[in-house]
Amino acid sequence: MLNVKTTFPEGFLWGGATAANQVEGAWDIGGKGLSVADVYSFDENLPKDRWSDQWLMMTHNQVKEAQDPSVEKFYPKRHGVDFYHHYKEDIALFAEMGFKCYRMSIAWTRIFPNGDELEPNEEGLAFYDRVFDELRKYNIEPIVTISHYEMPLHLSTEYGGWVNRKLVEFYVRYANVVVNRYKDKVKYWMTFNEINSLNHHPFTSLGVVEENHPHIEQAKYQGAHHQFVASALATKACKESNPEAKVGCMISYQLLVPYSCDPDDVQATIQKQRNALFFSDVQVRGYYPAYTARMLADKNVVLETEPGDEQIMRDYPVDYVSFSYYMSSAVSAHPEKLEGAVGNVLIGGIKNPYLSASEWGWQIDPKGLRTALNQLYDRYQKPLFISENGLGAIDVVQEGDVIDDEYRIDYLREHIKQIKEAVIDGVDVFGYTSWGCIDIVSASTSQVTKRYGFIYVDQDDMNKGTKRRVKKKSFHWYRNVITTNGEELE
Ligand code: BG6
């Protein structure tokens, strides 16, 4: 009756992931409008162990400058790696690796350039028809994020972003258009990328400029409430257009462990972990968890809701839980006492002395992925999908176009081993998409040289280069992983 699973399930969705704003480029082609991603300028002096200040807190001045053609700054996400013109070649390479699926996003600004139009832009819709058709040609299942850090800039500058209830209407109109248009081509959807990231970079996720909000926590949680309602309405639209469709939430999951067994460290860890799990708690269960009242009261947040919000959230929870996993970090209730332990393990975590880190200071913890999978499955009992995981590193092209990225293979191998452990533990995980399967522009640093891909793109941080695609050593390795359904990892 109770059989231990020993292999990845049949039909496991192996693949890769990207986002429109980081790959497509063609920012001013096909009627596309400016998105919030298009206003991040490149800072060549940014130290590796930090997120850019702009990523954490965009200012009015920076947004204004980005719209002024006389300002000579470089905006990498406008150029991506030109997937817009290379998609056929790129998808053929994904197919050569044997991808079963490709997680991608639709740029909202290709469909509704400003976000508040009543009618969609046909040229943008036609582009994604071509992309989905190309994927289908190779039997690659598209897994589509409706909004991945690329909301229309206009909705930020004119409406103040997601704090404004009107954003629900705009997003739902957009979601309705895409789920109906592609109902025969797309089965798996995600409503918002890393919805919990609005805690850390509210401009990208919510279009909120902090200068406008002395009480930023209020703005963040009000924006989150609007996204929860919008996500439920998008799920409804999706189910109505195709009852077979599956809609997932997507959170950024950073495993947090107490720095010590001090009960204060343990409590601090639980509180901090809720910064991520609060969002999936709501989207999976369809209601605010019991700890919400105290959590919001502690932050002095009072949510404005409308009649019907509660019901729609209850009626349309998500079907599956997807998450990104790159690293873990430790949590201390008294970080000021721990000299040298505080680094950019993001979100103010503490260095874990048992772990090594990437060149960008992201602590590598493959076993943490097994814990994450078990924790999420114990909590929700819903199918899980690992929508991002990977190593950002500098790659060197040697003579004969050889790129020996053994470090990336090591990272991926160790993580995939732990996914298998979780499968044996009994966790229902149905897919894995390695992040940045082709080199892309980094979200947090806007670099291309922080490379994640199996496919190298000959392009530097300033968009110079031929954009030629070159297969790395990991390309061949991953193809074998897929062919053997995760059995051969060496
Ligand atoms: C995730 C995002 O947080 O991490 C991606 O969903 C992002 O958009 C990825 O690219 C890796 O982060 P970075 O900053 O190295 O690009």
Side-chain angles (χ1 to χ4, degrees):
M1 181 187 83
L2 289 175
N3 291 330
V4 180
K5 294 196 183 98
T6 52
T7 55
F8 280 95
E10 214 179 296
F12 188 79
L13 290 173
W14 296 100
T18 63
N21 75 87
Q22 293 169 265
V23 282
E24 282 180 8
W27 65 288
D28 54 356
I29 290 180
K32 184 186 175 300
L34 268 192
S35 83
V36 290
D38 295 325
V39 302
Y40 286 95
S41 60
F42 181 62
D43 173 5
E44 58 188 322
N45 298 316
L46 180 71
K48 274 203 189 135
D49 61 348
R50 285 187 42 199
W51 276 358
S52 79
D53 293 342
Q54 214 182 17
W55 179 246
L56 293 171
M57 204 194 293
M58 179 65 77
T59 65
H60 279 304
N61 201 26
Q62 286 162 335
V63 173
K64 229 165 104 192
E65 262 185 9
Q67 294 173 88
D68 177 352
S70 69
V71 172
E72 287 189 12
K73 281 195 173 175
F74 180 62
Y75 296 92
K77 289 175 189 157
R78 296 181 184 186
H79 305 279
V81 292
D82 203 22
F83 177 81
Y84 190 82
H85 294 109
H86 289 254
Y87 73 92
K88 287 193 176 179
E89 178 187 352
D90 295 343
I91 291 171
L93 287 164
F94 300 159
E96 196 182 326
M97 271 187 280
F99 277 22
K100 309 285 181 216
C101 72
Y102 173 48
R103 175 184 173 232
M104 53 175 277
S105 69
I106 295 177
W108 186 343
T109 49
R110 285 204 190 280
I111 313 302
F112 288 97
N114 284 324
D116 58 357
E117 297 88 345
L118 293 177
E119 295 303 322
N121 169 33
E122 177 54 35
E123 223 179 322
L125 288 167
F127 170 66
Y128 294 106
D129 269 323
R130 293 197 293 277
V131 172
F132 296 141
D133 291 345
E134 198 65 18
L135 290 167
R136 288 273 169 226
K137 188 168 121 188
Y138 298 103
N139 285 323
I140 298 176
E141 186 75 49
I143 299 189
V144 179
T145 316
I146 298 175
S147 182
H148 187 134
Y149 294 168
E150 55 220 346
M151 61 180 277
L153 182 65
H154 180 78
L155 298 185
S156 169
T157 53
E158 296 306 308
Y159 295 88
W162 278 93
V163 182
N164 188 332
R165 175 94 195 187
K166 283 210 75 85
L167 270 274
V168 176
E169 179 191 326
F170 299 141
Y171 174 90
V172 173
R173 185 177 302 139
Y174 158 56
N176 255 287
V177 165
V178 294
V179 299
N180 279 293
R181 171 83 170 216
Y182 306 121
K183 65 175 187 295
D184 299 325
K185 300 182 182 182
V186 179
K187 182 175 163 206
Y188 294 97
W189 297 91
M190 294 175 196
T191 50
F192 290 96
N193 180 61
E194 296 189 331
I195 186 166
N196 55 313
S197 287
L198 58 87
N199 265 319
H200 313 296
H201 32 86
F203 181 71
T204 340
S205 298
L206 294 172
V208 161
V209 175
E210 292 202 31
E211 285 162 276
N212 291 345
H213 298 280
H215 187 359
I216 188 66
E217 293 296 318
Q218 175 67 35
K220 286 178 184 174
Y221 282 90
Q222 191 60 54
H225 177 72
H226 292 152
Q227 291 198 340
F228 292 146
V229 173
S231 175
L233 287 164
T235 306
K236 177 174 188 281
C238 197
K239 299 285 178 181
E240 285 169 359
S241 79
N242 175 8
E244 298 297 303
K246 302 282 177 213
V247 184
C249 61
M250 180 349 186
I251 58 165
S252 161
Y253 188 103
Q254 185 181 162
L255 179 71
L256 299 174
V257 295
Y259 186 75
S260 77
C261 47
D262 176 344
D264 285 345
D265 283 0
V266 175
Q267 194 47 235
T269 308
I270 291 170
Q271 296 303 333
K272 217 169 179 135
Q273 191 80 79
R274 280 188 179 154
N275 282 339
L277 296 182
F278 166 70
F279 294 82
S280 41
D281 282 352
V282 176
Q283 292 190 290
V284 173
R285 297 172 182 151
Y287 54 86
Y288 282 103
Y291 59 80
T292 312
R294 181 175 186 179
M295 185 181 85
L296 295 186
D298 286 351
K299 295 177 193 287
N300 211 10
V301 169
V302 180
L303 286 187
E304 271 177 41
T305 62
E306 286 190 2
D309 287 0
E310 229 176 90
Q311 196 57 47
I312 198 77
M313 284 159 62
R314 273 188 195 271
D315 289 348
Y316 292 96
V318 292
D319 301 304
Y320 67 96
V321 180
S322 84
F323 64 102
S324 59
Y325 179 85
Y326 292 91
M327 68 188 112
S328 73
S329 69
V331 176
S332 163
H334 308 289
E336 67 289 348
K337 293 188 188 154
L338 300 168
E339 212 180 305
V342 186
N344 172 38
V345 271
L346 310 185
I347 321 164
I350 300 293
K351 284 182 190 160
N352 178 338
Y354 295 95
L355 302 178
S356 62
S358 79
E359 282 178 81
W360 275 264
W362 294 24
Q363 293 194 140
I364 302 172
D365 184 2
K367 289 181 179 156
L369 179 53
R370 176 180 176 185
T371 310
L373 285 159
N374 274 280
Q375 192 189 50
L376 290 170
Y377 197 58
D378 286 352
R379 197 165 177 127
Y380 301 130
Q381 301 281 299
K382 290 263 184 187
L384 304 178
F385 185 87
I386 303 160
S387 45
E388 293 184 26
N389 171 241
L391 179 75
I394 307 243
D395 292 326
V396 180
V397 187
Q398 295 163 323
E399 227 181 280
D401 269 354
V402 173
I403 302 163
D404 188 357
D405 59 340
E406 197 60 46
Y407 37 88
R408 181 167 295 109
I409 296 175
D410 282 347
Y411 178 99
L412 296 171
R413 180 196 292 120
E414 293 313 309
H415 283 80
I416 293 173
K417 275 185 190 164
Q418 295 303 320
I419 303 171
K420 189 165 175 190
E421 289 299 323
V423 169
I424 299 169
D425 290 337
V427 171
D428 177 5
V429 49
F430 68 98
Y432 171 84
T433 46
S434 165
W435 178 248
C437 45
I438 180 164
D439 292 345
I440 55 172
V441 178
S442 150
S444 61
T445 69
S446 290
Q447 293 167 294
V448 168
T449 49
K450 183 183 187 187
R451 297 176 187 273
Y452 284 90
F454 301 115
I455 302 163
Y456 181 91
V457 179
D458 176 31
Q459 176 181 329
D460 68 10
D461 291 332
M462 300 300 287
N463 197 32
K464 301 246 163 51
T466 61
K467 295 202 160 51
R468 199 164 59 90
R469 276 52 175 159
V470 184
K471 297 171 198 169
K472 302 181 193 176
K473 187 174 179 185
S474 56
F475 180 101
H476 306 286
W477 172 82
Y478 196 47
R479 181 173 50 195
N480 193 47
V481 172
I482 299 177
T483 311
T484 61
N485 198 26
E487 286 307 304
E488 280 180 27
L489 296 175
E490 295 312 317

